[in-house]
């Protein structure tokens, strides 16, 4: 057990496996290859899989029944890039730029996170994910300063009944250092190889240094047979040189995920497309922090698969409803502005609500190589199901355009039921057996530790960066008597 961690873990108990359940009379977004939509349909779950979908299904004796009338049934969403360890700092950096984020986490305060602080952030982040209908999450865990921190991260993820992929990283060391250490190799064999997580990635960035020191980390990833996820095309941090080094070294493999990818050239996008990579778009992040303009328009042009992610709760919301609506809005804003610059008018949008719902579900599953079992509601797939239903909300009716409703109207408060692998983890709008008081206490201890370590002045300054001086233009039309 890592030093300083509590002897008793916070555990979310899971519903009994093996019992059949059926959702009755819902509007089903299957997200299958044809994007079939079924009205007034049932979804039958037996054990951990979807058994049947259709009207008026017969369920086994002793089944649990959920009335989905007036609701939308959809696959569990998949977030391919979330720094869960930072969840304990929710909203702290609301006014940060990317530079201020780097200074706080990479250069100054991030080193003060103890293993128990990683545990607290991951626990709260994992509960938050399933609460909002995200049943599979990539924990882009670049705060793992030691394998004690890594053990704490995994312990928290295993305490919550969602699906989690650990993307192991350490911003306090170069990837060529931590990835080649005996401690990392031992951790992989002890906790990952044959473990309980849904997957594993190595998480590190490539700066474009001609010496390509990251090569050693890619070689470790190749030896372990695991994909790499990397922040690529981030303004001022990672660029085309990094993509070229990866490609020329033969390290751009299928299954690698390029996060943001917002400031790359066409040549780099071609390299990603040709090598079977995908891009995780975090639109709220790219719009606000300055990684570059959300690149969905470029990704469509180059035929690159897309998934969605929320990045970090230190700034933004922790759900993919916001990711879907901001992605649609950003893509359309750019399309309009480009047309207006040519004195033209956009009469038909290229990016549709249906497509971003696909990116939030099947797209994420594909990025993780899990689309044969996740990301769609079809018989034989894992029963990861979200029911959007809120009879107390005027927003949940009428449902006329189901994809548009999911992308623009629904929100986390409308997530009625969440099932992961046939297990109910949220029912009637409330998490099942989640000890939120314990999670809150652990996060509170993390905040107390950081405030006392940094000091109150530094704590307040970090949360409230200086406001640049602004000049108001002279208005020649001001009213005077």
């Amino acid at each position: 057990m890592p030093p300083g961690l509590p002897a008793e873990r916070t555990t979310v108990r899971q519903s009994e496996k093996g019992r059949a359940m059926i959702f009755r009379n819902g509007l089903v977004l299957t997200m299958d290859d044809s994007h079939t939509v079924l009205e007034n349909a049932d979804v039958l779950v037996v054990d951990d899989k979807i058994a049947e979908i259709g009207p008026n299904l017969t369920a086994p004796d002793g089944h649990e029944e959920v009335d989905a009338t007036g609701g939308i049934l959809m696959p569990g969403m998949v977030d391919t890039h979330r720094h869960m360890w930072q969840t304990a700092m929710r909203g702290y950096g609301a006014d940060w730029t990317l530079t201020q984020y780097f200074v706080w986490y990479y250069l100054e305060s991030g080193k003060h996170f103890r293993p128990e602080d990683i545990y607290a952030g991951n626990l709260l982040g994992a509960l938050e994910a399933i609460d909002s209908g995200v049943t599979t999450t990539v924990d882009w865990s670049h705060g793992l300063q030691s394998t004690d921190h890594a053990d704490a991260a995994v312990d928290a993820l295993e305490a919550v009944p969602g699906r989690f992929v650990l993307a192991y990283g350490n911003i306090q060391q170069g990837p060529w250092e931590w990835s080649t250490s005996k401690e990392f190799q031992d951790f992989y064999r002890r906790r990952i190889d044959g473990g309980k997580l849904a997957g594993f990635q190595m998480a590190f960035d490539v700066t474009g240094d001609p010496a390509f020191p990251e090569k050693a980390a890619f070689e470790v990833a190749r030896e372990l047979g695991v994909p790499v996820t990397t922040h690529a095309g981030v303004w001022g941090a990672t660029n085309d040189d990094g993509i070229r080094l990866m490609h020329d070294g033969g390290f751009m493999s299928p299954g690698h995920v390029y996060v943001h990818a917002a400031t790359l050239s066409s040549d780099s996008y071609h390299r990603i497309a040709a090598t079977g990579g995908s891009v995780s778009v975090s639109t709220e992040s790219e719009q606000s922090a300055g990684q570059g303009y959300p690149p969905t328009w470029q990704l469509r042009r180059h035929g690159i698969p897309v998934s969605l992610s929320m990045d970090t709760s230190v700034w933004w919301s922790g759900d993919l409803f916001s990711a879907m609506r901001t992605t649609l809005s950003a893509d359309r804003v750019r399309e309009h502005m480009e047309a207006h610059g040519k004195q033209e008018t956009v009469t038909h949008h290229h990016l549709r609500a249906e497509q971003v719902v696909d990116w939030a579900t099947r797209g994420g599953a594909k990025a993780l190589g899990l689309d044969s079992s996740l990301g769609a509601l079809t018989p034989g797939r894992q029963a990861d199901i979200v029911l959007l239903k809120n009879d107390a909300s005027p927003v949940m009716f009428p449902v006329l355009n189901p994809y548009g409703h999911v992308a623009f109207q629904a929100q986390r408060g409308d997530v009625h039921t969440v099932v992961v692998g046939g297990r109910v983890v949220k029912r009637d709008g409330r998490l099942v057996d989640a000890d939120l008081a314990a999670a809150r206490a652990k996060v509170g201890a993390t905040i107390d530790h950081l405030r006392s370590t940094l000091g109150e002045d530094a704590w307040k300054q970090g949360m409230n960066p200086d406001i640049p001086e602004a000049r108001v233009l002279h208005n020649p039309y001001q009213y005077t008597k």
Side-chain angles (χ1 to χ4, degrees):
M1 177 184 299
L5 284 181
E8 294 183 3
R9 303 291 187 193
T10 300
T11 302
V12 179
R13 297 189 301 276
Q14 300 177 350
S15 298
E16 181 183 356
K17 187 177 177 181
R19 182 183 179 190
M21 68 178 302
I22 190 167
F23 292 89
R24 291 285 190 195
N25 199 39
L27 192 160
V28 182
L29 303 184
T30 65
M31 305 314 297
D32 63 8
D33 292 339
S34 301
H35 282 193
T36 305
V37 177
L38 302 173
E39 297 185 11
N40 302 316
D42 303 338
V43 177
L44 175 63
V45 174
V46 177
D47 293 328
D48 60 344
K49 291 184 172 59
I50 298 169
E52 194 175 358
I53 300 177
N56 303 314
L57 298 181
T58 300
D61 292 339
H63 67 277
E64 178 179 357
E65 190 157 313
V66 179
D67 181 9
T69 304
I72 299 173
L73 288 160
M74 61 181 289
M77 289 175 277
V78 181
D79 184 330
T80 53
H81 160 240
R82 182 181 299 215
H83 303 298
M84 297 175 71
W85 65 287
Q86 296 173 358
T87 309
M89 300 297 294
R90 185 189 307 285
Y92 180 90
D95 294 319
W96 280 353
T97 63
L98 190 62
T99 299
Q100 288 157 339
Y101 170 85
F102 284 153
V103 169
W104 205 91
Y105 275 118
Y106 285 60
L107 302 179
E108 295 180 353
S109 305
K111 63 179 179 289
H112 297 305
F113 279 69
R114 306 161 299 176
E116 55 262 49
D117 303 321
I118 299 294
Y119 183 89
N122 269 29
L123 181 68
L124 186 62
L127 291 169
E128 178 183 18
I130 61 172
D131 182 62
S132 64
V134 177
T135 54
T136 302
T137 307
V138 174
D139 175 24
W140 223 100
S141 199
H142 58 350
L144 306 183
Q145 303 172 58
S146 71
T147 51
D148 286 345
H149 290 74
D151 277 317
V154 175
D155 287 341
L157 299 180
E158 290 182 348
V160 177
R163 299 186 194 276
F164 301 100
V165 174
L166 180 69
Y168 190 114
N170 179 1
I171 55 178
Q172 304 301 326
Q173 281 188 333
W176 54 92
E177 297 174 300
W178 61 258
S179 69
T180 57
S181 70
K182 180 180 182 298
E183 291 78 12
F184 172 73
Q185 303 285 334
D186 289 344
F187 168 81
Y188 179 82
R189 285 189 291 269
R190 181 167 46 83
R191 296 304 301 267
I192 303 302
D193 194 11
K196 299 178 183 178
L197 296 179
F200 182 78
Q201 300 173 338
M202 288 174 59
F204 58 88
D205 298 341
V206 181
T207 64
D209 179 349
F212 194 27
E214 300 87 1
K215 177 182 177 183
F218 278 109
E219 289 172 341
V220 172
R222 177 176 290 172
E223 179 182 345
L224 295 178
V226 300
V228 169
T229 177
T230 183
H231 295 113
V234 174
W235 179 264
T238 55
N239 53 37
D240 292 311
D241 290 336
I243 296 293
R244 177 181 52 78
L245 288 167
M246 284 185 261
H247 188 267
D248 291 351
F251 294 115
M252 293 181 71
S253 302
H256 285 1
V257 178
Y258 305 85
V259 178
H260 302 308
T263 58
L264 298 175
S265 67
S266 184
D267 181 74
S268 289
Y269 290 125
H270 281 312
R271 292 177 193 248
I272 293 172
T275 54
S278 66
V279 169
S280 177
V281 175
S282 301
T283 306
E284 282 187 287
S285 178
E286 290 130 21
Q287 284 181 320
S288 181
Q291 290 92 339
Y293 201 86
T296 48
W297 60 287
Q298 286 279 34
L299 305 178
R300 294 201 313 277
R301 289 176 61 202
H302 290 85
I304 297 173
V306 180
S307 62
L308 299 182
S309 58
M310 59 72 53
D311 203 343
T312 170
S313 292
V314 78
W315 262 300
W316 306 289
S317 65
D319 67 75
L320 290 192
F321 298 109
S322 292
M324 284 186 277
R325 61 177 55 104
T326 56
T327 298
L328 273 171
S329 297
D331 193 285
R332 291 173 177 181
V333 164
R334 189 200 170 278
E335 190 172 25
H336 286 297
M337 294 303 292
E338 186 179 60
H340 296 174
K342 300 174 185 177
Q343 299 299 303
E344 297 174 353
T345 298
V346 173
T347 59
H348 294 77
H349 285 132
H350 284 86
L351 184 61
R352 302 302 179 99
E354 181 176 348
Q355 194 162 1
V356 296
V357 175
D358 182 277
W359 290 347
T361 53
R362 190 86 176 267
K366 288 179 180 177
L368 302 179
L370 299 173
D371 57 305
S372 64
S373 58
L374 304 177
L377 300 184
T378 58
R381 273 189 166 85
Q382 285 288 308
D384 287 14
I385 303 169
V386 172
L387 170 61
L388 303 179
K389 179 179 177 178
N390 188 346
D391 293 339
S393 170
V395 177
M396 280 307 292
F397 62 88
V399 178
L400 305 177
N401 178 340
Y403 296 111
H405 209 99
V406 171
F408 277 132
Q409 306 297 323
Q411 50 194 307
R412 69 165 64 240
D414 301 320
V415 177
H416 179 281
T417 302
V418 180
V419 176
V420 180
R423 294 170 172 166
V424 178
V425 296
K426 185 176 185 180
R427 178 187 284 110
D428 295 329
R430 298 180 67 88
L431 290 170
V432 174
D433 295 330
D435 192 347
L436 293 178
R440 178 177 292 190
K442 294 177 190 303
V443 168
T446 289
I447 300 305
D448 290 343
H449 160 68
L450 291 172
R451 290 185 83 147
S452 62
T453 300
L454 299 178
E456 199 62 22
D457 289 344
W459 174 266
K460 291 179 179 177
Q461 178 61 34
M463 187 164 40
N464 300 286
D466 295 336
I467 302 174
E469 183 179 352
R471 180 182 176 187
V472 179
L473 293 174
H474 171 68
N475 186 345
Y477 302 105
Q478 293 183 25
Y479 173 79
T480 57
K481 289 186 177 180

